[in-house]
Amino acid sequence: MDQITSRREGSIQILSFNRPEKMNALTREMYAGLANGLNEAAGDFGVRALIITSEDDHFTAGNDIADFLANPPTNEDSDVARFLGSLLEFPKPLIAAVKGNAVGVGTTMLLHCDVVVAGPSAKFSMPFASLGLVPEAGSSYLFPLLVGYQRAAKIFMTGESFDADSAKEMGLVASIASDPLREALEIATHISEQPPQAMINTKALLKASKHDAVAAVMKAEFELFSLALQSEEAMEAFMNFMAKKGK
Ligand code: COA
């Protein structure tokens, strides 16, 4: 069974995390599947909007920690870097439907989406520093821009989580719905009925002023992240997680 499923509803492509037994924690193969799915949808004239969502009760528990240990991403050709690049460059409307835990990249990827719909159960966190790591996906730039420096610093430095209401108040999510995928499909359908080139141009304009800065920040984050992955602080945090899970 694919751990990233891809299906089409009309002109809407839906990519879904499908590894519920590990709370949809993302492996190298899953990042590759996401990058390929985004790139194919970007080049397919039949696709007018893309939804990222998840099977089961949770969005994703973030990067798979066992995979961090076995296959640390250390260069810009890595699958995670490819996924983040595809996310930054995705030219069409990108909508996320989030329920349950959205940890680490599960939250930071939302900063690149055009519309995020959260279920009431959604719980967001970016515990990079608690794991001996640093923020990624451009979040060290985009998150303070969205919520203000101090609120961002507190969330990054404490690793604390926040709920759907807080995320909506911050502007990280556009709306809260009991069935976030259904709501996301309604929004995507509405968008896909609009003139497609106008959608692409509108998105390009909305993102234009930040694009180069985000790309530069992502590069700097990636360098620090790769170093941090090999640090004692990170090793200790990963080992603690694995030990707790009896691995
Ligand atoms: N990497 C690998 N496996 C993970 C994982 C991750 N990031 N997050 C969860 N899992 C696995 C657990 O090991 C468990 O599998 P197991 O039953 O085979 O041991 C399963 O997913 C369910 O997770 P569990 O921890 O039992 O659920 P919980 O409700 O008690 O806790 C979390 C949920 C998200 C708080 C907890 O799983 C967690 O802290 N995960 C790590 C999150 C993280 O640090 N991600 C990296 C960010 S950069």
Side-chain angles (χ1 to χ4, degrees), residues 168-217:
K168 182 159 180 268
E169 183 257 325
M170 287 173 190
L172 181 66
V173 315
S175 58
I176 299 173
S178 55
D179 184 343
L181 179 56
R182 201 168 77 189
E183 169 94 354
L185 272 165
E186 273 173 29
I187 296 168
T189 302
H190 190 69
I191 289 174
S192 68
E193 288 162 357
Q194 310 282 320
Q197 193 56 49
M199 293 302 105
I200 290 172
N201 291 343
T202 298
K203 173 162 180 164
L205 286 168
L206 282 166
K207 300 275 186 188
S209 63
K210 307 288 180 307
H211 175 278
D212 292 357
V214 177
V217 168

Side-chain angles (χ1 to χ4, degrees), residues 12-93:
I12 301 160
Q13 195 72 35
I14 303 169
L15 297 181
S16 190
F17 310 133
N18 183 28
R19 196 186 173 215
E21 70 283 7
K22 293 287 177 189
M23 213 174 267
N24 294 324
L26 297 168
T27 60
R28 212 166 48 153
E29 290 76 19
M30 291 167 80
Y31 286 119
L34 287 167
N36 294 342
L38 284 167
N39 295 345
E40 280 162 24
D44 183 337
F45 288 115
V47 175
R48 292 199 175 184
L50 187 140
I51 295 176
I52 296 185
T53 189
S54 60
E55 305 301 322
D56 218 35
D57 298 335
H58 295 278
F59 191 56
T60 168
N63 202 107
D64 186 286
I65 289 179
D67 215 43
F68 260 157
L69 284 165
N71 305 300
T74 49
N75 70 57
E76 287 182 44
D77 299 326
S78 64
D79 294 307
V80 61
R82 233 164 42 78
F83 163 61
L84 295 178
S86 303
L87 197 59
L88 175 65
E89 304 302 339
F90 191 68
K92 299 177 184 177

